[in-house]
Amino acid sequence: MIHLLHSIHLSHRWCLIFAPLVLDFFWYVMYSIHLSHRWCLISFSTYILKRAFIAFFCFLVLTMQAVAAEVPIVVSGEPKATVQIGANASTQERFAASEIRTFIQKWTGARLELRTNQQSTTTRTVIVLGTPTSNPTIRALQTKVSFELPEALGDEGYYIKSADLGTEIVIIVSAHTPRGVIYGAYGFIEACITALTGLKPVHPDIAVTRTPTLRIPFLNETSRPFYPIRAVLEIDNPDWLARHRVNMSGGEGVWTGTGIEDGFGTAFKYVDTPAFSELQDETRLQRLKRIETLRNRFTALRDRGIDAYLFMYLTGEPTEALIKARPDLLGPEVLYGASRNEVSYRPFCWSKPEFHTLARQLTQEIVKTYPGLAGFHLRSWGHETRACNCPECGDRSPEGQAKLWEVYFTIINAALEVRPDFKFYISGYNRSWLQDPDGDYARRLPKGTTFSQKWGADGEPVIDPNIPIDQINALGEMGHRFIVLSHDVEEVMPFWMLESDLFVQGVRQLANSSEVVGLSGFTVQGATQGLGYLDRLVSARINWDIQVDHLQLLRNELVTRYGNREAADLILSALRTNGWTLASYFSDYASSLSIGGTYGSGSAGLATRFWNLIGKKAVEDTLAIPELKIAQTAINRFTNLLAPQQRAANEMQEANELAESVDIEAVQDLTDAMHLMRLWVLLFQSREKLVEAIALGYEVNTSSAINAKLASAAEFSRSIQPLIKQFEEFGPLFGYSHQTNEVELVKTLKEEVIFLSSFDYRTLQKHDERFSPEETEFRISEVYNYPNPLKRKTTFTYQLTLDADEVQITIYTASGRRIQVLKDVSAKEGYNEVAWNAQDAEGTPLANGVYFYKVRAVLDNKKTESVHRLAVIR
């Protein structure tokens, strides 16, 4: 009955007091009709005293219930609650208890006491934490207050329930597993934040004004994750990961993206054993320090319910010491410009039994060294895999694929011999390496192995992740898991953009599709710099709650950081507008850039960085637009992009004037956001002027107009430079420092301005009557081929100052033997491109190696040519 009263509104409580009295009085009057007048007076006096006592008693009871409707945690700076765990609580449950105490102390200044179920408590409120197995109090309460943990909660869901037992109020935070208890603790923490701020949804790290009193309503809620894997691929703070319900850290160790320091061939640095001493490139002291650091980190992650995966490219470039000490394990030297010496390297020979023996020994030593390590993240991709070209290995042929899979199973089986519960995460599956079209190798992998693929071609800001649904479902049917790598967009590095709208829409489309049954989650995406972290909040939360109101989550975060809703709404509007604008721009670079030799291809097949959009080469690419139609399309695209981007810049400026930032970091983040909105405006304005200059080149008598457009473009580019210098924080890219990013960006922009200032406008004039070919030097320039090194095909690009009579491309071996001639190729003035299938005159694919090519153009009796080198790595 008492618990039922909790739900009754306070305005209804007076009805409970007076309704019985009114009914009782009516009964009294009716009864008194049968009595004499004198006795009526006596009885009425007795009645009044009796009913007054009843009313007072009811008032006391209901007043107590009104107070009890809000459970006291801290009152006037004094703790009114105790946290209780089981005497045999796990490390993860103890961590969950410490988080509750830490946050409450942060908000109120009061430190709640921690007790076990074997110790008495003195506060009226007790927060009972644990599983029915780890905390006997919870098992006893299951009968006393009639609550059960639904099986549907699974391994990570939780249940929070408040109950008034008369002498005390208990808040039960329980789950089937310790990891679920951690998430339940954060569910309780977020309920406290909502009670303090009135905001929902929230996250544990949201800014909360300090207060001496914390009361929360009675709770009765369950929650469980929508996706079982919620991962990051960066080295993140373990507390942040736990607080945002991330359960997998898939990029532990060293991740350079080169295969040199993060390949299996250099993984000796993770262990300290005499057997590998001659294969080490580092001192023992360096290794011991790294080992201690990693052990502590893996333990910290495990204690927070997070699985740590050590990342390694397979097989990566061997250590220099190994190359010297064990040449018997290595294959022939192959060319690769990103190797240590920037020329070539010695790959492992996957066919040699001695290599597999070494791989097995190294694997087992790593697993033994790190008891807190949950698994390996093994990746085969691009040149980092370092194929051996010997006949036995077979390079990327089916035989070579089989050899690489043998390496995988050598490592996997070796790890499982030490720890049968060891896990594996494989990226690059069924791509250029690790091909498995029939799923035969996947079926041999341990059940529960995780696979992944990037969102889009390379993390593009698009709604459709373009993932292989049939493959995902097939792997799911085998008992495996598949996640999507939704990291921050590489196009904007070292900056950031808000992708939450795109991300949420794409995730929900897949989540609601009946065709997708094997998908297990998405990685956290977004930058840690500036306001890019907002994406991280959303991407982490939607993995748990697919229906979360992500806009309200972002708005609530911004309100607490910037003091008022007006500023928060302006910031959010600016960021969302900028996100959609950049997504549109990157879909085809507004037709202003040629990526891979074809206009309008966007970033498909090539991940770019911001400085690929600026500088001499980028401007040359834009000015080489070959058709008036493309230039006109680009003009329209930039016009349509500029209006919303300018609005975003204006809104961010206005928000800055209204904001009441909570701390200096919030001030810096908002200032950087202002610079960023303005930076994109200036870039779009600069590029718009360039494409306008190109369009003018198709008109007559436009020399001065073209020059004016070029000068204007240079001025906009010049205006970006001081903005770059004002940024507080850049996003990390290949480990570059803030200073390096700043210097390189400014340097590239200066080169762009210098190039535009000296650019010969006549090269843009296609139909100006005053333009005379006789006054123009006939030459060929800007000769490239992409990709280089190539695998199966490449595209030659070059520019001609005049229309040529004939152009041909001749390919030679390194010794000078001619093997192919491409005749009658594109010979028009300006930009040209020619595709080639990397075959000789007989139609045979070229073998791996270095070749030369000569582009030769002829006009009347004039000749011009240019010789360059290309490499074939299949």
Side-chain angles (χ1 to χ4, degrees):
M1 182 63 180
I2 293 176
H3 183 65
L4 179 62
L5 293 178
H6 293 164
S7 61
I8 299 178
H9 192 275
L10 185 60
S11 63
H12 298 156
R13 297 180 184 277
W14 296 104
C15 295
L16 292 176
I17 295 174
F18 289 110
L21 299 180
V22 171
L23 292 174
D24 196 30
F25 180 77
F26 178 76
W27 171 83
Y28 168 81
V29 172
M30 295 298 293
Y31 179 76
S32 297
I33 294 174
H34 302 287
L35 301 176
S36 67
H37 182 68
R38 177 185 176 191
W39 286 108
C40 285
L41 291 175
I42 296 173
S43 299
F44 183 76
S45 299
T46 304
Y47 169 84
I48 292 299
L49 291 173
K50 177 181 173 183
R51 288 337 183 218
F53 175 79
I54 293 173
F56 179 71
F57 176 79
C58 291
F59 174 81
L60 288 178
V61 170
L62 292 176
T63 300
M64 286 168 34
Q65 291 302 317
V67 173
E70 285 192 327
V71 182
I73 306 298
V74 177
V75 177
S76 300
E78 295 296 323
K80 300 298 180 182
T82 302
V83 179
Q84 188 216 74
I85 59 175
N88 297 317
S90 67
T91 303
Q92 292 180 352
E93 290 169 325
R94 292 182 182 276
F95 170 74
S98 72
E99 284 287 84
I100 290 176
R101 300 172 71 211
T102 295
F103 276 98
I104 290 177
Q105 185 175 24
K106 175 183 175 182
W107 302 324
T108 67
R111 182 74 168 171
L112 304 190
E113 291 187 347
L114 178 65
R115 293 285 185 269
T116 72
N117 66 294
Q118 296 177 354
Q119 298 170 314
S120 61
T121 58
T122 58
T123 57
R124 175 163 171 73
T125 303
V126 181
I127 304 167
V128 185
L129 200 70
T131 68
T133 302
S134 67
N135 192 342
T137 301
I138 291 178
R139 191 164 57 250
L141 287 170
Q142 284 184 306
T143 302
K144 194 169 185 179
V145 301
S146 299
F147 89 91
E148 291 292 336
L149 293 176
E151 289 187 16
L153 291 179
D155 291 338
E156 296 185 321
Y158 60 83
Y159 185 21
I160 304 176
K161 181 181 178 65
S162 305
D164 191 333
L165 303 181
T167 57
E168 64 183 5
I169 299 173
V170 294
I171 303 173
I172 305 164
V173 181
S174 188
H176 291 299
T177 66
R179 181 181 283 177
V181 173
I182 290 177
Y183 300 145
Y186 290 125
F188 173 75
I189 288 168
E190 289 172 359
C192 291
I193 294 174
T194 296
L196 291 169
T197 65
L199 302 174
K200 188 176 183 179
V202 293
H203 63 92
D205 289 320
I206 200 169
V208 175
T209 303
R210 188 155 176 158
T211 177
T213 298
L214 168 61
R215 299 179 188 272
I216 65 172
F218 273 71
L219 303 172
N220 188 2
E221 64 179 55
T222 60
S223 184
R224 62 172 181 163
F226 187 86
Y227 283 117
I229 299 180
R230 304 169 303 281
V232 291
L233 294 183
E234 298 84 17
I235 306 300
D236 276 286
N237 181 288
D239 286 338
W240 190 95
L241 297 178
R243 291 167 184 174
H244 294 274
R245 297 162 171 88
V246 174
N247 62 4
M248 174 182 177
S249 182
E252 293 296 326
V254 177
W255 193 349
T256 65
T258 65
I260 298 175
E261 295 303 327
D262 52 8
F264 186 76
T266 54
F268 302 99
K269 64 179 174 289
Y270 293 122
V271 297
D272 178 45
T273 176
F276 302 138
S277 59
E278 66 174 354
L279 309 180
Q280 302 283 2
D281 283 346
E282 296 179 333
T283 66
R284 184 166 184 261
L285 184 61
Q286 288 175 302
R287 293 198 308 279
L288 290 176
K289 185 176 180 180
R290 177 185 290 106
I291 290 170
E292 181 182 9
T293 300
L294 285 178
R295 277 177 174 166
N296 292 338
R297 177 170 172 82
F298 295 160
T299 299
L301 290 169
R302 182 183 60 187
D303 291 349
R304 288 159 175 75
I306 304 160
D307 289 340
Y309 284 72
L310 184 65
F311 172 83
M312 291 179 290
Y313 274 110
L314 283 189
T315 47
E317 185 173 349
T319 62
E320 293 181 279
L322 188 148
I323 294 172
K324 295 177 182 178
R326 295 294 306 275
D328 59 302
L329 302 178
L330 308 177
E333 187 177 80
V334 295
L335 290 172
Y336 180 52
S339 62
R340 287 192 183 90
N341 61 16
E342 299 182 351
V343 178
S344 61
Y345 59 90
R346 293 284 305 277
F348 285 109
C349 181
W350 303 332
S351 301
K352 296 185 177 182
E354 298 84 357
F355 166 67
H356 287 265
T357 298
L358 180 65
R360 182 177 181 277
Q361 293 171 344
L362 176 57
T363 297
Q364 295 193 333
E365 194 63 35
I366 292 174
V367 177
K368 293 174 184 176
T369 301
Y370 302 101
L373 186 63
F376 285 153
H377 174 182
L378 305 175
R379 179 172 173 80
S380 289
W381 190 258
H383 301 295
E384 292 82 0
T385 297
R386 307 283 204 272
C388 172
N389 289 336
C390 74
E392 290 79 10
C393 281
D395 193 38
R396 298 197 188 198
S397 66
E399 293 77 17
Q401 298 284 310
K403 294 294 183 183
L404 181 56
W405 275 109
E406 285 182 23
V407 176
Y408 269 79
F409 285 107
T410 292
I411 293 172
I412 290 170
N413 293 333
L416 293 175
E417 287 178 13
V418 179
R419 278 194 29 208
D421 64 340
F422 208 68
K423 302 176 183 179
F424 302 95
Y425 164 29
I426 295 176
S427 55
Y429 172 76
N430 213 31
R431 305 301 290 267
S432 59
W433 291 104
L434 276 191
Q435 294 177 16
D436 186 23
D438 299 322
D440 294 335
Y441 293 109
R443 291 185 184 89
R444 293 172 52 193
L445 291 167
K447 299 292 185 184
T449 295
T450 301
F451 300 81
S452 66
Q453 180 176 309
K454 287 183 178 180
W455 185 294
D458 208 352
E460 281 82 5
V462 293
I463 291 175
D464 183 4
N466 191 28
I467 55 178
I469 294 176
D470 290 343
Q471 183 185 95
I472 292 173
N473 293 340
L475 291 171
E477 291 173 359
M478 296 178 196
H480 298 316
R481 294 177 166 185
F482 193 100
I483 60 176
V484 177
L485 307 185
S486 41
H487 57 74
D488 46 331
V489 179
E490 295 188 0
E491 277 84 349
V492 298
M493 290 180 179
F495 302 112
W496 48 267
M497 62 178 280
L498 191 71
E499 299 176 74
S500 292
D501 287 342
L502 299 164
F503 181 77
V504 169
Q505 191 169 338
V507 169
R508 284 181 177 158
Q509 284 180 359
L510 291 172
N512 295 325
S513 172
S514 59
E515 297 179 359
V516 183
V517 296
L519 187 59
S520 294
F522 299 79
T523 59
V524 171
Q525 67 94 23
T528 57
Q529 293 71 34
L531 295 178
Y533 80 94
L534 295 172
D535 269 338
R536 295 168 61 78
L537 298 181
V538 171
S539 59
R541 188 57 171 264
I542 201 170
N543 269 289
W544 183 277
D545 179 5
I546 199 70
Q547 299 301 330
V548 66
D549 186 341
H550 76 285
L551 295 180
Q552 192 61 49
L553 177 67
L554 294 175
R555 186 175 289 109
N556 291 345
E557 165 67 13
L558 292 170
V559 165
T560 60
R561 286 200 83 194
Y562 295 104
N564 59 76
R565 186 165 295 278
E566 292 78 10
D569 286 342
L570 285 167
I571 294 170
L572 185 56
S573 175
L575 293 177
R576 295 181 69 203
T577 299
N578 172 250
W580 285 105
T581 301
L582 291 185
S584 175
Y585 170 67
F586 285 122
S587 67
D588 64 348
Y589 295 106
S591 297
S592 68
L593 286 180
S594 170
I595 302 299
T598 57
Y599 283 90
S601 65
S603 58
L606 179 66
T608 62
R609 314 292 186 268
F610 178 75
W611 45 59
N612 291 115
L613 307 178
I614 60 175
K616 178 176 179 290
K617 188 176 185 305
V619 172
E620 284 181 318
D621 196 34
T622 299
L623 294 176
I625 288 178
E627 300 174 16
L628 175 61
K629 183 178 179 181
I630 296 176
Q632 290 173 334
T633 299
I635 292 172
N636 292 332
R637 293 277 284 109
F638 278 118
T639 299
N640 292 331
L641 291 172
L642 262 171
Q645 186 57 39
Q646 184 63 66
R647 184 173 70 250
N650 294 342
E651 288 178 334
M652 199 65 76
Q653 178 68 43
E654 185 179 354
N656 187 58
E657 296 170 2
L658 294 173
E660 302 166 4
S661 302
V662 69
D663 54 29
I664 186 63
E665 184 179 6
V667 173
Q668 293 174 350
D669 288 350
L670 184 54
T671 302
D672 275 359
M674 286 174 49
H675 296 334
L676 194 54
M677 299 302 106
R678 179 63 180 156
L679 178 148
W680 287 110
V681 169
L682 293 171
L683 181 71
F684 290 164
Q685 287 175 323
S686 173
R687 298 316 182 240
E688 182 182 46
K689 297 306 176 186
L690 292 182
V691 293
E692 287 175 347
I694 294 169
L696 285 171
Y698 289 89
E699 302 176 18
V700 297
N701 300 321
T702 55
S703 298
S704 59
I706 292 174
N707 268 327
K709 296 291 185 183
L710 295 175
S712 181
E715 190 56 36
F716 283 127
S717 297
R718 186 180 287 108
S719 299
I720 298 176
Q721 296 175 35
L723 285 178
I724 297 293
K725 295 180 179 180
Q726 294 177 55
F727 270 86
E728 288 287 341
E729 199 172 18
F730 292 110
L733 180 62
F734 302 138
Y736 293 164
S737 67
H738 179 98
Q739 183 179 10
T740 299
N741 279 322
E742 178 183 307
V743 170
E744 290 299 319
L745 287 171
V746 171
K747 176 184 175 183
T748 306
L749 285 165
K750 286 182 177 179
E751 292 172 350
E752 174 178 309
V753 172
I754 292 172
F755 173 76
L756 284 172
S757 300
S758 59
F759 185 76
D760 185 355
Y761 71 91
R762 294 179 303 172
T763 61
L764 299 181
Q765 292 179 305
K766 309 296 182 181
H767 300 292
D768 196 313
E769 294 174 350
R770 295 173 302 170
F771 183 71
S772 173
E774 288 74 23
E775 298 177 3
T776 302
E777 178 185 0
F778 178 57
R779 58 187 175 87
I780 188 169
S781 63
E782 301 300 322
V783 179
Y784 302 101
N785 74 291
Y786 175 84
N788 188 12
L790 62 94
K791 290 184 290 187
R792 296 177 179 82
K793 60 183 179 178
T794 193
T795 298
F796 299 102
T797 64
Y798 49 93
Q799 297 210 41
L800 295 171
T801 55
L802 296 169
D803 288 336
D805 295 329
E806 176 189 359
V807 175
Q808 69 179 28
I809 302 173
T810 307
I811 295 89
Y812 303 85
T813 64
S815 63
R817 180 170 60 89
R818 185 175 65 184
I819 57 174
Q820 179 63 284
V821 179
L822 308 179
K823 298 180 179 180
D824 299 324
V825 297
S826 180
K828 67 180 182 294
E829 175 190 340
Y831 174 85
N832 296 268
E833 62 184 43
V834 179
W836 179 49
N837 60 7
Q839 296 179 3
D840 63 17
E842 304 300 323
T844 303
L846 269 59
N848 288 342
V850 176
Y851 299 82
F852 294 91
Y853 66 94
K854 178 172 66 177
V855 183
R856 182 173 180 268
V858 178
L859 174 60
D860 295 329
N861 60 347
K862 301 176 184 178
K863 298 178 181 179
T864 181
E865 61 185 32
S866 184
V867 179
H868 298 270
R869 186 175 75 168
L870 63 82
V872 176
I873 299 180
R874 297 184 186 274

